[in-house]
Amino acid sequence: MRPISHLFNRSKFRVDPRGLTAAMPRALWIELTSKCPYDCVFCTRGTRFGSGRHMNFGLYQSLISELEFPQFISLNYSGESIYYPRLIEAIQLANSTGASTEIVTAFSSISTDLLEAIVACGLDRLAISLHTMDSGQYRDIYRFGSLELLKERVDDLFRIRRKLGTDKPRIDFCFVAIHENLDQLVNVARYAGNVGVSEIFVHPVIGRHPISYDLSRELSANRLQESFKRNLRRAVAESHAAVPHVPITVLNPDIDPHPKLGYAPAYFAPRLPAKARIHTCDQSPFESVHILANGDVAVCEVHDEAPLGNLQHETLREIWHGDRYQEFRAKYVTAEIPECRDCVWKMAYRPTVWKSALSSASGRSPQLLRGWYSGEQESVIWSRRESLLELKAFKSAARVRIAGILPRAPEGRTNRLRIICNTLEIGCIVNAVGKELQFDELFLLPKAWASLRFHFIIDHVFRPISWGINSDTRDLGFALERIEILR
């Protein structure tokens, strides 16, 4: 990264998007197919894609071959992935990258042969869409399949996992919340607890595209109605109380009754006020990408009708580093894009004086640029495999102190944390002890740079669920406790 001389005089922290983009996307949503036999009342797939299409498998192979250290690959978007003709091969290719893999499915029409193949191929997560435990309401919502078949396939799934002696894939439920099914969330939670499902993710219905179903009780101008949010919060609380051992997470920050915009990045669903900035979002343009079945490459699902390229004409690398993507990112960090200012999934902040030291005790900071988990209840700040942060420099700066925890590597290997300041590697932390390593080290800064951007790279990520420690599915790099610039 080229140093920026004027940063010595900068009073408030501002993000320079140069050098912020990952070499290649780390998180990908790949639409294997936009075909689906289900006709869910709240789904816009049919309106947008008609009968749909399958992604060309050669295009998919070429896409996967381009990736570099992806962390997450979801093999679905608008369609039903279990109907993709080469699904198992697609999962295996995604697995071969080392990424955590998942599919989301309505599930009830899956065959037992395909189900066994999915379990055998090592998929990490299988998310089953389940919006009610009432058979009649199931038919009314899905307009295909049946609740009875779904429950049979769920039983088959757990039986096959036991037969093959594996705890993969992790199984959870996705519940799309509408006015009519809020009273069913507690029943879905009870069913999840009875069969051993890990978690329930609640998706309040969104109204981004027109459909014939009346959503006036849920939405107003594509935003959640206050009355619906109150009822949803009540339904979640009742479900928590009834089945406390099954976590229930609402995946829409707009349900927060008291959104706050402060100096630390946090979810902020309302329209962003003037002078506030976007830090990141659930689908960051610096790390993630959506790829549709026709090859269109889009920033996220909000912008999926404005693709920035197509894989039938360009490589993913060309699109990812192309002028259109770079222009989008430059406007993103300054909140110049209307759809991003209005997006409920953004993490935003008010710019403040920037710092020469960061610590986990002080909480989140916009200077944690990319590659950090948000874990608000944790006493450390966990990185992903690669992470970036920026610190204020002063002219006599000579050293940087870094304290944290480096997990052990897989058995028989050594884990290493490489530390790069701007363009130069200034040192590394090595863990060869077979357990987590607590460190507190000083590194020399070889130049009196005006801007200090630190790039951390881990040799081996640590996924707790894979080590049998807990249900945490994150790929963890290292835990940052403190970093500071010293004279």
Side-chain angles (χ1 to χ4, degrees):
M1 185 199 76
R2 181 167 58 87
I4 306 164
S5 59
H6 71 268
L7 291 184
F8 276 132
N9 302 317
R10 210 165 63 179
S11 61
K12 290 189 176 181
F13 177 73
R14 295 196 306 272
V15 174
D16 176 9
R18 291 175 296 177
L20 201 56
T21 306
M24 290 293 282
R26 302 302 183 219
L28 298 95
W29 284 261
I30 303 175
E31 183 182 65
L32 292 177
T33 183
S34 52
K35 292 178 175 288
C36 183
Y38 296 85
D39 187 22
C40 298
V41 294
F42 41 71
C43 182
T44 62
R45 186 208 62 80
T47 303
R48 297 188 58 204
F49 301 112
S51 60
R53 63 184 293 175
H54 294 317
M55 176 177 283
N56 177 277
F57 194 70
L59 185 147
Y60 175 78
Q61 289 175 303
S62 177
L63 162 63
I64 294 296
S65 71
E66 280 198 79
L67 302 181
E68 299 175 2
F69 303 109
Q71 298 162 355
F72 167 81
I73 299 177
S74 181
L75 295 175
N76 54 265
Y77 187 44
S78 70
E80 176 51 80
S81 294
I82 65 172
Y83 285 88
Y84 187 65
R86 302 178 73 170
L87 175 61
I88 300 304
E89 293 172 89
I91 295 172
Q92 290 169 334
L93 275 175
N95 283 341
S96 71
T97 68
S100 175
T101 55
E102 73 166 32
I103 61 173
V104 181
T105 171
F107 196 64
S108 69
S109 58
I110 195 170
S111 70
T112 52
D113 287 344
L114 179 58
L115 188 52
E116 184 154 356
I118 287 175
V119 175
C121 76
L123 181 75
D124 288 297
R125 177 189 178 225
L126 182 67
I128 298 171
S129 296
L130 181 57
H131 316 312
T132 182
M133 295 305 298
D134 179 273
S135 296
Q137 189 177 54
Y138 185 99
R139 289 191 298 272
D140 292 340
I141 291 176
Y142 289 84
R143 298 187 285 202
F144 186 81
S146 73
L147 179 63
E148 290 69 31
L149 277 174
L150 181 139
K151 292 165 72 174
E152 288 179 19
R153 295 292 84 81
V154 169
D155 290 343
D156 289 336
L157 175 54
F158 281 98
R159 174 182 55 79
I160 291 167
R161 284 203 330 182
R162 289 192 298 270
K163 183 181 77 170
L164 298 181
T166 180
D167 57 1
K168 286 187 176 183
R170 181 178 184 268
I171 305 161
D172 52 55
F173 289 154
C174 293
F175 180 95
V176 174
I178 55 178
H179 172 80
E180 286 81 1
N181 72 345
L182 287 183
D183 64 341
Q184 286 295 309
L185 180 58
V186 66
N187 296 327
V188 171
R190 289 191 178 105
Y191 175 60
N194 290 337
V195 298
V197 162
S198 303
E199 191 166 358
I200 298 172
F201 294 96
V202 178
H203 302 258
V205 68
I206 56 178
R208 196 170 293 128
H209 303 285
I211 56 174
S212 59
Y213 193 75
D214 180 13
L215 294 175
S216 60
R217 285 176 292 187
E218 294 88 351
L219 300 168
S220 175
N222 295 334
R223 301 299 289 255
L224 296 177
Q225 294 267 29
E226 289 301 323
S227 59
F228 180 69
K229 288 192 282 187
R230 287 194 300 271
N231 292 336
L232 176 54
R233 289 193 294 268
R234 187 181 304 115
V236 171
E238 291 172 354
S239 301
H240 273 305
V243 194
H245 64 284
V246 176
I248 302 174
T249 303
V250 180
L251 296 179
N252 189 326
D254 197 20
I255 195 175
D256 184 354
H258 305 294
K260 296 178 181 178
L261 183 64
Y263 298 124
Y267 282 113
F268 186 74
R271 174 172 291 180
L272 204 62
K275 297 185 180 181
R277 293 289 180 261
I278 297 174
H279 178 61
T280 188
C281 56
D282 286 358
Q283 296 165 19
S284 161
F286 296 99
E287 294 185 279
S288 68
V289 71
H290 274 65
I291 299 167
L292 305 190
N294 65 356
D296 278 347
V297 177
V299 172
C300 66
E301 57 190 77
V302 173
H303 294 277
D304 64 2
E305 292 182 290
L308 300 183
N310 187 285
L311 294 179
Q312 299 187 62
H313 311 297
E314 303 171 86
T315 66
L316 179 60
R317 184 179 298 275
E318 289 170 338
I319 298 169
W320 183 247
H321 293 287
D323 291 342
R324 296 174 69 188
Y325 235 122
Q326 299 289 36
E327 181 182 354
F328 183 95
R329 294 177 182 121
K331 292 180 178 179
Y332 174 86
V333 297
T334 54
E336 295 178 51
I337 302 169
E339 295 86 350
C340 296
R341 294 185 71 90
D342 288 342
C343 181
V344 302
W345 289 279
K346 63 186 177 294
M347 297 188 75
Y349 66 100
R350 295 186 185 278
T352 186
V353 174
W354 72 316
K355 302 174 182 177
S356 59
L358 300 175
S359 73
S360 56
S362 300
R364 302 295 299 176
S365 166
Q367 293 174 221
L368 296 166
L369 299 176
R370 172 170 67 78
W372 304 93
Y373 289 103
S374 59
E376 296 176 356
Q377 307 304 317
E378 295 177 310
S379 59
V380 295
I381 301 172
W382 279 102
S383 80
R384 294 179 169 85
R385 181 182 179 274
E386 287 188 72
S387 53
L388 296 174
L389 63 81
E390 190 169 359
L391 295 178
K392 178 183 179 181
F394 36 82
K395 292 181 180 179
S396 58
R399 298 173 297 169
V400 59
R401 176 191 175 196
I402 307 174
I405 302 168
L406 179 59
R408 64 187 175 98
E411 191 169 346
R413 301 185 184 182
T414 296
N415 206 4
R416 181 180 58 154
L417 167 62
R418 296 172 55 207
I419 303 162
I420 300 165
C421 183
N422 293 348
T423 57
L424 298 179
E425 185 162 341
I426 61 172
C428 66
I429 305 291
V430 176
N431 183 354
V433 298
K435 59 182 180 180
E436 71 177 24
L437 175 71
Q438 189 97 27
F439 65 88
D440 190 339
E441 300 284 347
L442 290 173
F443 299 93
L444 293 178
L445 298 173
K447 288 186 178 182
W449 280 301
S451 170
L452 297 175
R453 181 171 289 181
F454 291 90
H455 183 189
F456 302 97
I457 305 174
I458 290 286
D459 281 357
H460 301 285
V461 294
F462 172 68
R463 190 179 298 169
I465 193 170
S466 298
W467 294 62
I469 294 174
N470 55 40
S471 61
D472 189 347
T473 60
R474 296 177 299 175
D475 285 335
L476 304 175
F478 80 104
L480 178 68
E481 294 177 331
R482 183 169 181 81
I483 181 170
E484 60 181 319
I485 304 302
L486 304 173
R487 289 180 170 83

